[in-house]
Amino acid sequence: MPYLPLPRAVDLREVGLRDGLQLEKPIPLEEKLELLGAVVATGVRRVEATSFVSPKAVPALADAEQVVDELKQWPDVHFSALVAGLGGARRAVAAGMPELEYVISASDGHSLANARRTSAQAVDAVADIAALAHEAGGACEAIIAVAWDCPFDGRTPADHVVDIARKAVDLGADRLCLGDTIGTTTPGRVVELVEAVRAACPGRDVGVHFHNTRGAGLACVLAAAQIGVTQIDASVGGLGGCPFAPGASGNIATEEVVYLLEESGVSTGIDLDRVLEAAAVAERAVGHALSSNLYRAGGRLQPRPRRTD
Ligand code: ZN
C-alpha cells in the first residue's frame, strides 16, 4: 500500500443521538435507547448522548434527563452531552452528566441565532461552565461552531477562531473541537485552521466535526487524519443537521468514516457491519431514508459469482 501519513488509530465520537436527532420529530425514549444500544454495539467508545438545551427550541431532545438516567447500563462507554450555556450545564450536572461539550459560535450571526448572545459573551461563559464540570468530576470540551463559515456572516477569519480557542483554554476548557456546522470547508482550510489552533493551544486535543453538505466531508476527515487528528465526530447513517444553521444537512456518516479509515489502515475499533445495523435502527426510528452512500450500497463489496452465459 502506498505510504500515506495517517495515524495508527483514531477515536471516533458518535453524535447521531444528538446532532443526528435534533432536527427530527421527537422519537420515543425506548426507540432512542434501542438506537443507543445499537450504537454502543458497534464498538464506539465515545458517544454524545443528548443535549441540554431549550426543549422548546429542540423538542427532539427534551428527554435529556431520562436519556442520561439510562446511560449507566453501558459503563464502558464515555458519554457526553452538549450544552449551549450555563443553564444547560447546570441541568446536565444535576442529571448526573458532568462531561460537557459547550458550543461557542465563532460568529455573532450564528451566536445570536443559536444562543441569543454575542460570540464574545459565549466565550466568557466558558469559565463558569468549565468550573461546574470540574467540580462535578467531569470535563468541558469547547466546540467552536461555524469555525470555517457562517450562514449569516460568511467566512470566519481563522485568527478569530484561534483567539476563541486560546481564550476558552485559558478559561478552563479541557479540549477543543472545530465544527464545520454548515458543511462548507475543504481539506486545505481544515489543515490550516487545525494547525493554527494547535499552535496557539499546545497540549490540548483538537477534534473535528464535519458535515457532508457539499460532499467534501470525507475528504476533510482524511486531511485531518493526515495531520494526526484522532478525535473525529460522525453520525450513524449520516443523520443530522443544525436547526439554527440554514443549509446544514447530513453529518458525515459513521460507516463511511469507518470504511474510509479502516481500508486505509487506520484502526477505529468500530465494526462496520454493526454500524450498518445501527443505521437500520436509526432509519426505522426517524421514518425516512438516510443520506449515507455506504448504507445504501449495503456495506463492503461482496463479489458475486461471474456470469458464464
Ligand atoms: Zn453538527
Side-chain angles (χ1 to χ4, degrees):
M1 196 181 280
Y3 175 73
L4 274 177
L6 285 168
R8 219 184 261 270
V10 294
D11 191 12
L12 297 191
R13 175 166 61 191
E14 174 57 53
V15 300
L17 275 298
R18 196 282 304 175
D19 208 2
L21 292 184
Q22 68 181 3
L23 268 185
E24 302 288 345
K25 63 173 184 351
I27 63 170
L29 181 64
E30 71 226 43
E31 284 180 40
K32 230 176 243 191
L33 296 176
E34 186 193 355
L35 180 56
L36 251 171
V39 155
V40 170
T42 67
V44 71
R45 283 299 165 261
R46 291 194 304 138
V47 176
E48 183 183 65
T50 185
S51 71
F52 287 84
V53 294
S54 158
K56 267 198 209 113
V58 187
L61 303 181
D63 58 2
E65 276 85 357
Q66 289 136 282
V67 170
V68 165
D69 212 33
E70 299 284 343
L71 299 179
K72 41 187 165 321
Q73 52 183 301
W74 298 289
D76 302 340
V77 179
H78 181 269
F79 290 105
S80 56
L82 183 134
V83 301
L86 186 58
R90 288 200 179 109
R91 262 181 71 203
V93 167
M97 171 47 78
E99 299 294 334
L100 306 180
E101 300 162 26
Y102 171 49
V103 188
I104 302 163
S105 297
S107 70
D108 283 334
H110 189 259
S111 191
L112 290 164
N114 197 13
R116 289 196 216 97
R117 60 176 176 217
T118 64
S119 177
Q121 288 168 332
V123 178
D124 288 340
V126 171
D128 288 339
I129 292 169
L132 194 66
H134 295 155
E135 277 161 30
C140 173
E141 171 176 317
I143 299 182
I144 305 180
V146 295
W148 285 275
D149 293 300
C150 167
F152 309 107
D153 298 359
R155 285 216 169 198
T156 308
D159 54 3
H160 183 53
V161 177
V162 169
D163 284 344
I164 291 172
R166 192 185 287 123
K167 190 149 190 223
V169 167
D170 286 347
L171 293 175
D174 301 283
R175 286 188 307 277
L176 297 162
C177 180
L178 303 175
D180 180 25
T181 312
I182 55 171
T184 54
T185 197
T186 44
R189 297 179 73 199
V190 169
V191 171
E192 187 184 2
L193 188 61
V194 169
E195 299 278 32
V197 169
R198 280 174 165 173
C201 307
R204 302 289 156 154
D205 277 330
V206 179
V208 289
H209 177 106
F210 298 123
H211 284 239
N212 202 34
T213 319
R214 288 164 182 79
L218 287 181
C220 291
V221 167
L222 193 65
Q226 285 189 305
I227 56 167
V229 172
T230 58
Q231 314 274 305
I232 298 166
D233 285 359
S235 171
V236 61
L239 277 175
C242 173
F244 309 108
S249 69
N251 282 269
I252 52 171
T254 307
E255 58 273 30
E256 293 181 0
V257 176
V258 169
Y259 180 78
L260 172 84
L261 293 177
E262 293 276 351
E263 295 285 317
S264 304
V266 181
S267 167
T268 63
I270 295 174
D271 182 310
L272 184 63
D273 293 332
R274 289 292 178 96
V275 186
L276 295 172
E277 288 167 24
V281 175
E283 189 172 54
R284 270 202 310 278
V286 299
H288 60 76
L290 303 177
S291 63
S292 161
N293 290 307
L294 188 86
Y295 179 61
R296 274 200 299 279
R300 282 195 178 87
L301 175 66
Q302 305 286 349
R304 288 172 290 184
R306 285 187 186 184
R307 291 180 58 165
T308 50
D309 52 296

